[in-house]
Amino acid sequence: MKVKTMQEFMAEGKQPEILFWVGSAGSYDDRAKKISRAFVRLLNKANVDFAVLGQEESSTGDVAKRAGNEFLFQMQAMMNIQLLNGYEIKRIVTCDPHSFNTLKNEYPGLGGTYEVVHHTQYLKELLDQGRLTLQGETYKGKRITFHDPCYLGRANSVYEAPREVLAKTNAELVEMKRHKKTALCCGAGGAQMFKEPEKGDMDINVLRTKDALETNPNIIATGCPYCNTMMTDGIKAHEKEDSVTVLDVAELLANSI
């Protein structure tokens, strides 16, 4: 795969079209790395001149902020903003709605103003421009239901882009009862990903997966690495690993091309 860093671009005296913000999950989590790779394959296929920060990229500070450590969040944010402004970054694309929300809505107040785009929005853009074209019928006849990530949907009102991208695969899109504005959280938001669930009748991710399974899907599509993990664990809890798979929108598109 062809991936250049901002340092390499600067050494050539060039600016990339976009900065791909990989995010903590996309960098370190083995499952989420597959989403990052799928997205990079699509960027290469569309001949997008993109860069990553590589080892210079740090956490956006989202988890620290949601867990209540505002001081740590501001330290991480200021470090990133200094780096991004130094590179004169204008446009950022990320596969992580948590990073998307933090970069888009929290950073401007600290001096970091950028155009921030979720990868499903950017993939729709590439498809609309004809830079990406689907040739295969990989998912024709398959039933796909899309789980809205909280920070993409309810927090930022991005509902249509992922669905329009999924529609290009020629699969049958089926909606859960709770979707778009009424979608249920996967259970990982607000730093809950990193703690054990509290006592109750059912874990949130198991309940959300139940919503998805009621649509009788072949595939549960996600647009967030945390949602992907939670829904995958939900599938295991319902013992449906043999019949239902969880894939990111980027993976579905990469497989269709």
Side-chain angles (χ1 to χ4, degrees):
M1 286 190 293
K2 194 170 64 178
V3 184
K4 286 169 73 174
T5 63
M6 272 308 301
Q7 282 183 334
E8 289 174 294
F9 268 93
M10 290 300 280
E12 295 169 9
K14 294 178 183 175
Q15 274 285 355
E17 284 181 63
I18 60 161
L19 173 75
F20 171 32
W21 186 276
V22 184
S24 305
S27 299
Y28 294 107
D29 180 77
D30 286 341
R31 176 64 186 89
K33 284 180 196 173
K34 294 177 181 177
I35 299 169
S36 302
R37 291 192 186 106
F39 186 56
V40 166
R41 286 208 308 275
L42 292 167
L43 293 176
N44 285 338
K45 186 80 176 173
N47 293 315
V48 176
D49 223 10
F50 75 99
V52 295
L53 289 171
Q55 292 187 341
E56 290 185 289
E57 184 184 300
S58 180
S59 167
T60 59
D62 166 74
V63 173
K65 187 177 181 74
R66 307 305 158 203
N69 195 337
E70 180 67 22
F71 178 69
L72 177 58
F73 161 69
Q74 293 208 13
M75 276 176 55
Q76 291 181 298
M78 293 306 291
M79 192 165 60
N80 287 326
I81 289 166
Q82 196 174 8
L83 183 70
L84 293 167
N85 289 352
Y87 279 134
E88 297 180 357
I89 298 298
K90 300 288 187 290
R91 199 169 199 221
I92 302 172
V93 179
T94 181
C95 299
D96 176 13
H98 297 254
S99 296
F100 169 73
N101 180 69
T102 305
L103 292 164
K104 181 173 182 278
N105 299 321
E106 311 277 5
Y107 276 30
L110 298 168
T113 304
Y114 320 101
E115 183 191 353
V116 187
V117 182
H118 188 250
H119 74 303
T120 57
Q121 294 174 302
Y122 193 65
L123 291 172
K124 179 186 179 304
E125 199 178 298
L126 294 176
L127 287 163
D128 289 347
Q129 291 170 352
R131 295 176 73 178
L132 273 180
T133 50
L134 300 190
Q135 296 158 337
E137 298 283 302
T138 313
Y139 295 107
K140 194 170 184 180
K142 299 286 185 186
R143 288 170 65 85
I144 297 179
T145 190
F146 179 69
H147 162 73
D148 290 278
C150 294
Y151 277 122
L152 186 64
R154 286 179 298 163
N156 288 285
S157 300
V158 178
Y159 297 115
E160 300 310 324
R163 288 170 170 82
E164 287 178 33
V165 172
L166 289 171
K168 301 277 188 186
T169 65
N170 289 324
E172 183 189 349
L173 295 184
V174 287
E175 294 284 10
M176 298 180 224
K177 282 179 187 172
R178 292 186 273 201
H179 66 284
K180 294 186 178 177
K181 286 182 182 177
T182 60
L184 183 69
C185 175
C186 73
Q192 298 295 305
M193 178 85 177
F194 305 101
K195 61 181 277 295
E196 291 304 312
E198 279 120 39
K199 287 180 182 177
D201 296 329
M202 191 184 288
D203 288 355
I204 296 287
N205 65 313
V206 177
L207 180 59
R208 185 53 174 161
T209 307
K210 186 170 177 282
D211 283 357
L213 292 175
E214 282 172 3
T215 69
N216 194 27
N218 302 109
I219 296 157
I220 300 171
T222 65
C224 170
Y226 297 102
C227 293
N228 195 297
T229 298
M230 299 303 270
M231 299 302 277
T232 300
D233 287 350
I235 290 294
K236 289 173 185 169
H238 286 282
E239 299 181 350
K240 293 285 184 182
E241 304 106 300
D242 295 338
S243 55
V244 182
T245 52
V246 182
L247 291 169
D248 188 87
V249 173
E251 294 177 303
L252 286 156
L253 201 59
N255 292 344
S256 298
I257 293 172

